[in-house]
Amino acid sequence: MPFSSLLFLSVFLPAFLLCYWVAPRLLKNTIALAFSIVFYAWGAPRLLPVVLALGVIDYYLGNYIARLREAAKSAAEPSESARLERRTRRVLTMGITVHLSVLAYFKYSNFLVAETNAVLVHLPGAAHFTWKEVALPIGISFLTFEEISYLVDVYRGHARPARSVGRYLLFLMLFPHSIAGPIFRWKDLESQLDVREHSLENVVDGFGRFTLGLAKKVLIADAAALASDPIFGAPAEAIGPGLAWLAAGAYTLQIYFDFSGYSDMAIGLGRMAGFRFKENFNNPYSAASITDFWQRWHISLSTWMRDYLYIPLGGNRGGERRTRINIVIVFALSGFWHGAAWTFLVWGIFHGLLGVAERTPLMKRVRAALPHFVNVAVTMLFVSIGWVFFRAPNMATAWNILSAMCGRQATNVEATFFLRGSLLPNQSIFVLSFALLLLAAPALFGEDRVRSLGVRVRPFALALVPFALALSIAQLVNGGFTPLIYFKF
Amino acid sequence: MNTEDDHISLRVTVITGLRLALMAVCLGMLALPAVHMVHPIFEQKPLFGVLADTPCPDPTIFDLSTEKFQSGFTKCFEQRYGARPTATRLDNSVAYWAFDEMPPDKKVRVGTNGVLFMDDHVSFYNRHDEPDVVAMAAKVKRAQELLLARGKVFIFMIMPTKTSLWPDDVAKGWRREGSSPARPRAAITDRYVKALEAAGALFVDGRKSVASLPREAVYATTGRHLAAPGACAVFSDALALARPLVHDAEVPTIECNFRMAHGVSVEEEDFDLLRLMNIFTPPPSNAVPVMDPMTERTPRERRADGVVLGTSFGWKIVYEAERTHALRRVTYYYYNSRAIDRDTNKDSKVVPMSKEWQDLVASSTLFFYPAPEEYLLVDGEVFVDAVIGVYSAGGAAPGAVTP
């Protein structure tokens, strides 16, 4: 049940808000958990028992890890302390292994079996794996990372273990984030489970943020999809440079407005219930380098990767060569986390290599010599090229689009002929131009000025909420439903 | 309490009131459509056009666990969404009034000068395939010969399409220009006409029939099908072509008098594309043709029975045949599957080449096939194939042709 579905907007959300607001403070968490379980069960009923079971296991493991840590700290003998430390680490390793195994089974087993079979086909006499495809449950990647971060934070002493299973399950399954992020950390949310501000101001601000996200998704991202989807689905011989650049550019807009719109909706929903979620985007297309881009894009994922993968791998503490290897590993795994396909892996490695290239002295000098807006433009160019791998259904399509972007002409325009009216209707041109202006504004006028302008116009912008809501619902009803991009991860 | 405190208190009250009002409006917009589905609470003008019926599933444990129920229920809910007519009209109206277009997935295309097109019109404008017109013309001729040998006249009528008459009104975004190979518009129709002429087939090139009429009399800017004067002109030419070949009945000359009228009801057929747009709009202001009553010159009993073959476009010929009393009895053979007796309104299923089909052919003298230009050589000519199948085999029915 995506947030941009009529069922969510017309039934689930009003029912939740009504029940949540009328419930006494003591029951609000219970109401939120009950609605979250219903929400998850609607979208992934078969994984619900697994998620609940993992939540219970995490709860006990977290508490066990905390007790072992305390015991290790207070042990009189250093040998006893070391033994307990080893045991704590074993418990942590076991917990992480369980979560990664669940992720591997649900997300990567189909891919691994298919790829193995593809290799076995070429070996004479080799057996062929028969395999019943496993359905990918929504939100599994996000849940896994949240569960791992909980165990690791408790192990590191950065967080206290959950006081009750219900509180931990609420953290894990809270519906604004449970199926497509942002990736929460227990330590950020724990205190809010006890104390949070329920006020009309929060509700109005939250609803405004939710509507902003809905409008970004429905009015802008879906308009961009009109141009990108048909071209990415067209045969290679029909695509020339113009269409290829249009597809890459449109998808660059689509994925940002789709995913940041979703994050806005999640943050807004949380705010309506009194929660303060961390921002997940910070003008990513104003970034002046790839490193800068990843500090602004899907921030909850990039910080997770930094804290739970890059730093444990050694970070930048092992010399320049080791740092570069770590960067490529982290980006490659980040790409593969997005999906079990070569395209995602290549997308991750592409970003990793760009990150490594930026660290070379030569590139540092070049970037320092260039004006800021040129750096922003070059970063945008490489990010857009990367999105081609991300969007393409397979590597062949990605290469076709990229080679067309490099100048390869269409050889058969009759194969798929696009009319401008269907790819770029006047409304889309208007909406996408407006979106481009929004994206370019921080780079053109300065991020601080744009931000302060946003704060000044906010009270007036709230008056536009009903109009944005009406237009979004109208387009949802009339245009049919398009799912959110990040749901498949 | 001093004045400043009063101001602050008033300000807080106003802001709180505004916030409450905003939330009430927004929650109302979200929840009322769902409430309306259970207990209707507001009137809405229904949408025009066909919505596929989506059944609502019953929840079972199995369907719930496999998400089959969820997906079925979501579809059912979205189709029955309480504010669907209003929301659809709002979205279409924004596209139309602000951007002079319709959303790309809709059937109606907005052209220049207020001309509305159907997506099929635009597809014809951009059509670039090369069908075998010679073979098809030969089949038409063969079917006409077989029927003529049995005292029946079969007239093939090419009904001009909107984009063929008004190509310049197709909006630029919907034109396929600069493609390779570049070919003139309506090339397929021209080639087909030449092939029919070469084969010696009986046919009416409707484009010529309507050439002398003012454009609004051929197609209303807001209409999907030929306007009555245009249909009448093509039908008149078809009757003229049939007249010398019918010996045991009279085929009259008809007059296609009309006048242009404003303020005609939007329910009229000439506004069907406007209705199909489903937008908020004032009553249309464009003039549409209204036929003047025709004078019957000979008794109807002496005229021939006729069958009009075709799709929705055929209705226009049926209406003209009835309005002019040019035929004694009119049967509409609709989509090669239903025979509608216009006198009795009897509607019977008739499969091509079946006994009922042969009875239908045997009972009439004149056969009119109004083929819309945009579907020439696309739909196939089921009636032509059926005639050849039945009568070239000496009248035996080898089997039914699926329409």
Side-chain angles (χ1 to χ4, degrees), chain A residues 9-11 21 42-43 45-46 201 204 207 414 417 419-422 425-427 430 466 470 473-475 477-478, chain B residues 19 22 26 29-30 34 64-65 67 70 81 84 87-88 91-92 95 99 101 104 106 126 173-174 176 179-180:
Chain A
L9 292 170
S10 278
V11 178
W21 291 340
W42 183 267
R46 277 175 294 185
E201 186 184 3
V204 172
F207 198 88
E414 298 298 316
F417 199 93
L419 297 171
R420 192 193 66 71
S422 62
N426 298 336
Q427 191 170 356
F430 172 81
I473 292 175
Q475 194 146 101
V477 171
N478 197 26
Chain B
R19 281 177 177 152
L22 179 69
C26 292
M29 284 167 64
L30 290 181
L64 277 164
S65 68
E67 296 169 48
Q70 286 90 321
Y81 181 68
R84 176 170 281 282
T88 302
D91 192 49
N92 287 339
F99 300 103
E101 65 188 8
K106 303 298 172 224
N126 293 313
W174 293 100
R176 175 184 193 165
S179 63
S180 175

Side-chain angles (χ1 to χ4, degrees), chain A residues 21-192:
Chain A
W21 291 340
V22 299
R25 195 169 288 262
L26 274 176
L27 279 179
K28 285 194 190 297
N29 280 355
T30 311
I31 294 285
L33 179 60
F35 271 86
S36 297
I37 289 174
V38 169
F39 181 82
Y40 197 87
W42 183 267
R46 277 175 294 185
L47 192 71
L48 180 64
V50 179
V51 173
L52 292 174
L54 287 174
V56 173
I57 290 170
D58 275 350
Y59 166 73
Y60 284 109
L61 279 182
N63 277 282
Y64 188 45
I65 287 170
R67 281 203 304 277
L68 284 175
R69 273 187 58 84
E70 284 304 312
K73 265 186 197 169
S74 56
E77 295 292 321
S79 60
E80 175 66 5
S81 174
R83 188 183 67 80
L84 288 169
E85 275 293 342
R86 282 197 301 276
R87 195 165 169 189
T88 315
R89 193 169 295 180
R90 276 203 299 275
V91 173
L92 173 70
T93 307
M94 187 185 77
I96 293 174
T97 306
V98 167
H99 290 306
L100 290 180
S101 303
V102 171
L103 182 66
Y105 172 72
F106 281 111
K107 188 156 183 171
Y108 300 104
S109 54
N110 294 336
F111 173 76
L112 289 174
V113 170
E115 293 304 310
T116 308
N117 281 338
V119 172
L120 289 177
V121 162
H122 300 291
L123 301 178
H128 188 83
F129 286 109
T130 51
W131 177 256
K132 192 181 172 193
E133 285 232 335
V134 179
L136 176 67
I138 51 173
I140 184 76
S141 311
F142 294 93
L143 288 172
T144 302
F145 274 23
E146 284 162 351
E147 287 162 328
I148 289 175
S149 74
Y150 168 72
L151 294 178
V152 172
D153 283 350
V154 171
Y155 168 77
R156 286 174 177 170
H158 295 167
R160 287 175 303 178
R163 284 207 313 269
S164 71
V165 179
R167 283 162 59 82
Y168 182 70
L169 286 177
L170 179 58
F171 150 74
L172 206 58
M173 303 188 71
L174 192 61
F175 75 86
H177 82 104
S178 64
I179 51 177
I183 300 168
F184 283 177
R185 299 198 196 176
W186 169 251
K187 62 182 177 186
D188 295 333
L189 208 67
E190 186 202 2
S191 60
Q192 298 185 49

